[in-house]
Amino acid sequence: MRKYEPKPLRVFLQDGRNDNNIYAGSWWVANQDMASAFEWAGYEYTFVVGEEKHNAIHGSAILPDAMRWLWKDPAKPISNRVRPGDRQFSRMIAGDSKWELVSEGHQFTEGPAVDREGNLYFSDPRASKIWRMIDGKVSLFKEDTGNANGLMFGPDGKLYACENGRRRIVAYDVKTGVATPVVTDVTSNDLVINAKGEIWFTDPTAKKVWYVRPGSEKKLVHEGFEFPNGIMLSPDQTLLTVADSRSKWVWSFQIGPDGGLLNGQPFYRLETNDQSSASSADGMTMDTEGYLWVTTNTGLQICDQPGRVTAILNKPQPGSLSNVVFAGKELDTVYVTAGDKVFRRKVNRKGLTPWSPVKPPKPGL
């Protein structure tokens, strides 16, 4: 509850100081913890305490009061606002910003990428199309893209795309739309590029991660994931993170001088639902403070530098999110792909670009 974005709920809690204290724990202590979590998360709640044991005497007596409190101002929507500077979400979200619909009517949106001007590009691999949004207007950039999925702009200004349908990665000239093969005979899902133009990409089918230096052949740098999916660099481009969708982990690696991956470990522990240990982690992005933003089946999870989930933004619609990027002229708006749509939301963080690595601040609590 402390990590999730508050939902529009009003909560009434009641307990007695002499409630059960058994092998499973203390009801009284647990309800105090619950009340503390509601307070911290910013919910509208009340906690009425009595002296009864584990029975319905006190609860029955105050039930009319509870119902009146829960249904007060029925015509007025419930708004759980986070007080500025007082909660985790106020450090992430700009004011009362909500998800806004950007584009819809696609088959399956993926691969959001941002160019030097802050313009958004995204793919629809099932329709084999790439779209772009300039000055708020969405238009078709390219069709017949070989089921292009993951996208990212490189330091050369070209749009790199995982054309899995043609088993290659290409670089698009955004002025002409001409695609130049970069690496062929590969299965790829998502990719990341650094300031030198070096590429790392995931191959979920073979459970591998590959590396390509400009002008060189691909090189295997890791294998053994259940389902390697999203991939991202740290702000200073010294670490590589890889999401394993069929687990609750995002792995972190040091990058060697030859592009190889060293000292890998499951580092970011994602939150999952009770039905599965798989997070369905997909596309990821980083902000300038070194926080990792991960699309999952429970929402947009935000992890701090030590690897902890500190906040989870609600999904704009049911279903899993597939990818995320910071875009806009100031790189202060997150765009997510979700099903057949694209959404955006103003935030209090700024994103990164491959051509401008930065040194993040020291990790904190």
Side-chain angles (χ1 to χ4, degrees):
M1 186 191 307
R2 292 175 180 268
K3 298 179 181 180
Y4 281 88
E5 185 174 6
K7 295 178 173 58
L9 298 174
R10 185 177 291 138
V11 183
F12 189 99
L13 285 175
Q14 175 274 331
D15 198 11
R17 300 179 192 276
N18 296 299
D19 204 344
N20 279 352
N21 185 12
I22 60 175
Y23 73 95
S26 167
W27 264 247
W28 167 235
V29 171
N31 275 297
Q32 290 180 82
D33 287 343
M34 182 72 75
S36 176
F38 279 127
E39 168 67 22
W40 195 91
Y43 280 89
E44 183 181 357
Y45 83 102
T46 190
F47 185 21
V48 178
V49 178
E51 301 297 330
E52 286 295 330
K53 298 180 180 180
H54 195 69
N55 57 49
I57 296 175
H58 184 218
S60 299
I62 65 172
L63 180 60
D65 293 334
M67 297 303 293
R68 280 189 287 268
W69 185 84
L70 287 169
W71 289 98
K72 64 180 180 179
D73 300 324
K76 185 179 179 181
I78 299 172
S79 178
N80 292 305
R81 296 188 177 184
V82 179
R83 294 192 293 273
D86 193 34
R87 295 290 185 268
Q88 181 68 25
F89 284 96
S90 66
R91 299 197 293 269
M92 301 288 180
I93 302 304
D96 294 328
S97 72
K98 305 295 182 184
W99 289 112
E100 301 175 21
L101 178 64
V102 172
S103 186
E104 61 182 335
H106 308 283
Q107 292 189 34
F108 184 77
T109 56
E110 247 285 7
V114 60
D115 67 11
R116 288 182 180 271
E117 287 71 44
N119 299 313
L120 176 75
Y121 287 67
F122 63 93
S123 62
D124 185 342
R126 294 179 185 173
S128 209
K129 295 178 180 179
I130 296 176
W131 298 80
R132 63 182 170 188
M133 185 177 75
I134 299 177
D135 296 329
K137 183 179 180 180
V138 177
S139 61
L140 182 65
F141 165 68
K142 190 72 176 179
E143 54 187 346
D144 189 23
T145 64
N147 308 110
N149 191 343
L151 307 175
M152 180 169 278
F153 276 88
D156 56 2
K158 294 182 178 180
L159 178 63
Y160 289 75
C162 295
E163 283 195 352
N164 207 26
R166 297 190 176 108
R167 292 183 53 81
R168 65 180 189 174
I169 294 175
V170 300
Y172 282 101
D173 184 314
V174 294
K175 293 182 179 179
T176 65
V178 174
T180 302
V182 176
V183 57
T184 58
D185 194 27
V186 296
T187 302
S188 60
N189 177 74
D190 206 353
L191 78 167
V192 68
I193 308 169
N194 68 6
K196 299 177 182 178
E198 298 170 310
I199 301 172
W200 291 262
F201 66 92
T202 54
D203 178 355
T205 303
K207 303 182 179 182
K208 296 177 179 179
V209 178
W210 298 85
Y211 164 75
V212 181
R213 188 187 299 271
S216 301
E217 294 294 320
K218 67 180 185 295
K219 180 176 73 172
L220 177 65
V221 290
H222 191 78
E223 59 183 328
F225 291 109
E226 279 295 310
F227 196 89
N229 201 331
I231 188 167
M232 185 51 55
L233 289 166
S234 61
D236 58 4
Q237 302 187 350
T238 62
L239 302 173
L240 184 80
T241 55
V242 180
D244 190 347
S245 295
R246 292 177 182 166
S247 77
K248 58 188 174 185
W249 295 103
V250 175
W251 284 63
S252 179
F253 299 86
Q254 292 177 317
I255 299 174
D258 61 351
L261 303 182
L262 309 171
N263 304 316
Q265 61 176 304
F267 188 74
Y268 300 92
R269 185 188 184 280
L270 301 175
E271 299 294 334
T272 60
N273 57 45
D274 292 337
Q275 289 73 40
S276 173
S277 61
S279 65
S280 298
D282 204 332
M284 307 182 292
T285 192
M286 279 268 187
D287 64 32
T288 55
E289 296 190 31
Y291 279 54
L292 182 69
W293 299 57
V294 189
T295 54
T296 71
N297 54 16
T298 59
L300 183 57
Q301 302 197 33
I302 305 171
C303 306
D304 63 10
Q305 289 191 52
R308 304 165 299 193
V309 175
T310 62
I312 304 175
L313 303 189
N314 294 333
K315 296 179 290 186
Q317 66 176 20
S320 290
L321 305 177
S322 59
N323 217 323
V324 58
V325 75
F326 285 86
K329 292 183 178 180
E330 301 299 324
L331 297 180
D332 59 355
T333 301
V334 288
Y335 287 76
V336 296
T337 49
D340 63 340
K341 300 179 180 66
V342 179
F343 297 87
R344 69 182 174 192
R345 191 169 184 179
K346 194 81 167 180
V347 295
N348 283 333
R349 294 295 176 90
K350 291 194 175 184
L352 300 163
T353 55
W355 49 88
S356 300
V358 299
K359 185 174 180 60
K362 292 182 179 180
L365 295 177

